[in-house]
Amino acid sequence: MACIYLLTKTSSTNALLVAVVVAVAVALSSSPPVVGCYTSIFGFGDSLTDTGNYMASCLKGVVQCDDEFLKCGIPPYGKTFFHRPTGRCSDGRLIIDFIAEHYGLPLVPPYTGGENVKLGGSVNFAVVGAPALDDTFRDEQGTLTRKDISMKAQLDRFKDFLPSICKTSNCEEIFGRSLIVFGPFGGDDYSSAMSKKDIKEAQLLQPRIVNAIASAIEELIELGAANIMVPGMMPDGCLSVTLTLFYGSNENAYDPTTGCLSWLNEFAQNHNKLLQNELNRIRDRHPNVFITYADYYNAALQLFRFPATYGFHGRTLDACCGSEGPYNVDNSIDCGYPSSNVCADPSSYIDWDGPHFTEAANRWIAKGLLNGLYTNPNITASCDSATVNSL
Ligand SMILES: *[C@@H]1O[C@H](CO)[C@@H](O)[C@H](O)[C@H]1NC(C)=O
């Protein structure tokens, strides 16, 4: 009897959960742009946010490119939306692109090259592979492969750029009407420790990385930033690249409902917890600045928990673009390389190339943030402060 009761209870709880998820998905599926809230967006971060800086710097010889295959700058990257590679690590738009669209703004152009950067408009400083810790640290560790892309380097570039935009109108007004998307950062700092499977080393880095992010946010506030969105880490335990790296782990290491690596997701959640604690401290010190935490972790995890609800089918942990391997990933043959393959319908996949999501997944994550479900405090509240700050 007890057994039957438990079964019934569980399935009705599940049914309720699915109903709630479906309702949320429907509510999220049609949202008109919110025009007039922000007039520009400034982006910082790594490959989750880079809209073309790394590709432009490689092509211009500003940074040393990894190898002959320019990461995220070769086909089939961009195939779904842009129909050409733009340097975005996806088949189409990124989360920051959907944020820009939501506010009725053009997609955020990369700073490097500057061809599309307009005075008073949005600018993106994010770079593929950008670490939170600066070059000095990486140099000491012997892991410095690409200079001048770190979080600090991005801030420096922003500071160089500021006088030019503040010349045409007053700086305070520009900051009052702009949203800064600051991150995510950290993934690339952890990945070198992770690839050595040195989890202890990665754990020890967490407070250091979160402190670095917090100091950078304080610096932005000193410069005048008024509205800041700070993304946390993704559920890295669900990414096909890490699932492949740790392939064949003990059965208990996997979450039975999603197939994600639980300990790695806990690692990400711990980073996010530390980050939110820091954000609370910063809010206390700067009550007039709107700082919202963007919960990329839970926004993305929902997709793995209820894939069919969001239109994802088949093996939902597999990469759409990769090469033969348990999750269609072979960590030595990246997406775009000659013997790699790409799925016919990226919109039915969550994972694009191993470490990055498809446009379809990015769209759902962005919707979850912009709707307020996965931003804390609710991002919609910042529109009022954007108006107030501009007065
Ligand atoms: C966020 O705020 C908006 C506007 O006040 C509201 O419509 C929406 O329901 C809120 N979202 C959540 C998840 O509370």
Side-chain angles (χ1 to χ4, degrees), residues 134-151:
D134 61 25
D135 293 354
T136 333
F137 173 80
R138 299 203 122 197
D139 219 7
E140 284 164 16
Q141 301 284 303
T143 53
L144 182 61
T145 45
R146 282 177 281 141
K147 289 186 173 123
D148 292 333
I149 61 168
S150 69
M151 183 173 68

Side-chain angles (χ1 to χ4, degrees), residues 368 370-375 378-381 384:
L370 293 162
N371 166 279
L373 263 182
Y374 297 107
T375 39
N378 188 337
I379 181 86
T380 55
D384 306 332

